Amino acid sequence: MMKCVIIDDEPLAVDLIKEFVSKVESLELINTFNNAIDAIAMINTSNVDLIFLDIEMPHFSGIDFLNAIDKKPLVIFTTAYSDYAVEGFNLGAVDYLVKPIPFNRFLKSVMRAQQLFLSNKTAPTTATLPTATSETEPDFMFVRSEYENVKINFSDILFIEGLKDYVKIYTTDNKYTLTLTSLIKLENTLSSKGFARIHRSYIINIKYVKSIQKNKVLIADKRIPISESYKTAFFEKINL
């Protein structure tokens, strides 16, 4: 049985997750908190296996909390905002639930957490889902597309196109994934992994560049513009 804690500043959200937890025999709820600061001492000194953690909380966010605790249980993020998905998964989250949370989606996340918990009880998070601060950097990310979280390997990304509030992530299988996030967030995630921002609307995977013209790069069959504001940094990165 997994011992779990709920951290959320919205009483209705806490009540809903408590109700969901009561329906799952493999979960034991040991405490709830309406702010992340009060939960730090308890998490660091108690045996907690799973946290249902809200991201957007006043003064001290769920991400701040996760970076502050010494002991890192499995974490399922619960939030009303989908644009934190990339950062959440890069911190090693088991899953990312967007409110309002349906029970079947909640149950799917719990089953995933249980598999990780049973496969490695001593260090489930770092062993199975490496965090951005671990010695081994993750080579993938999860993004939310429609009603699921899609795993995308960095090595499979050809380029990313920004479309106002959404981005299209084009991959080597000649498909793309549409997700609600910004190029800035993805740029922060990918800049150290062989990617470059070459235009306000494009991030590219440098290893797939076939040729470079004065103001364009060729990737697959797509000619992507290089804007003047990004040209110098891009050429320096590829030593041109």
Side-chain angles (χ1 to χ4, degrees):
M1 179 173 288
M2 288 188 294
K3 296 180 179 180
C4 65
V5 167
I6 302 168
I7 305 174
D8 198 310
D9 65 320
E10 299 178 16
L12 292 177
V14 172
D15 289 343
L16 178 65
I17 297 173
K18 283 173 64 176
E19 179 185 348
F20 287 173
V21 168
S22 69
K23 297 178 180 180
V24 182
E25 292 184 358
S26 62
L27 294 179
E28 177 188 356
L29 181 62
I30 59 174
N31 214 331
T32 65
F33 297 90
N34 60 17
N35 71 80
I37 296 175
D38 289 347
I40 292 176
M42 187 264 185
I43 297 298
N44 282 336
T45 58
S46 303
N47 292 323
V48 176
D49 303 312
L50 176 64
I51 304 174
F52 295 98
L53 179 62
D54 187 19
I55 292 181
E56 281 288 327
M57 290 181 285
H59 310 303
F60 200 72
S61 72
I63 291 174
D64 292 334
F65 166 82
L66 196 57
N67 287 323
I69 58 176
D70 298 322
K71 297 170 64 177
K72 287 184 168 54
L74 296 169
V75 173
I76 295 175
F77 279 122
T78 59
T79 178
Y81 304 92
S82 62
D83 57 348
Y84 289 100
V86 173
E87 188 171 5
F89 281 114
N90 285 339
L91 286 169
V94 174
D95 207 347
Y96 188 99
L97 300 178
V98 178
K99 301 172 183 177
I101 303 167
F103 179 69
N104 65 328
R105 186 68 183 82
F106 172 87
L107 188 59
K108 183 178 179 180
S109 293
V110 170
M111 291 174 64
R112 181 181 299 172
Q114 188 173 25
Q115 289 176 347
L116 295 175
F117 175 70
L118 294 175
S119 66
N120 192 343
K121 290 185 180 181
T122 57
T125 303
T126 55
T128 308
L129 292 173
T131 67
T133 57
S134 65
E135 292 183 3
T136 304
E137 288 286 333
D139 58 0
F140 62 88
M141 64 182 177
F142 283 86
V143 299
R144 188 168 183 83
S145 182
E146 295 183 349
Y147 299 103
E148 62 181 352
N149 295 296
V150 179
K151 180 181 178 181
I152 299 179
N153 295 318
F154 296 143
S155 60
D156 294 335
I157 299 173
L158 295 172
F159 61 91
I160 302 169
E161 181 181 9
L163 302 168
K164 197 175 180 181
D165 296 328
Y166 290 82
V167 300
K168 281 184 177 181
I169 302 173
Y170 292 85
T171 46
T172 54
D173 57 1
N174 295 319
K175 296 180 181 178
Y176 68 81
T177 300
L178 184 67
T179 185
L180 178 63
T181 189
S182 68
L183 279 183
I184 292 176
K185 285 182 178 293
L186 291 181
E187 183 180 8
N188 291 336
T189 299
L190 298 171
S191 60
S192 63
K193 305 181 187 301
F195 289 77
R197 182 85 174 265
I198 63 168
H199 189 275
R200 64 186 178 86
S201 300
Y202 290 99
I203 295 172
I204 64 167
N205 190 338
I206 295 172
K207 76 174 184 177
Y208 289 115
V209 174
K210 292 181 178 180
S211 65
I212 301 174
Q213 298 176 347
K214 184 178 179 180
N215 294 310
K216 291 180 182 178
V217 299
L218 178 64
I219 297 180
D221 296 323
K222 174 78 170 180
R223 295 194 181 275
I224 301 171
I226 306 171
S227 68
E228 289 296 327
S229 56
Y230 291 97
K231 181 184 290 186
T232 300
F234 172 56
F235 283 173
E236 287 178 353
K237 192 165 190 174
I238 61 175
N239 299 316
L240 282 183

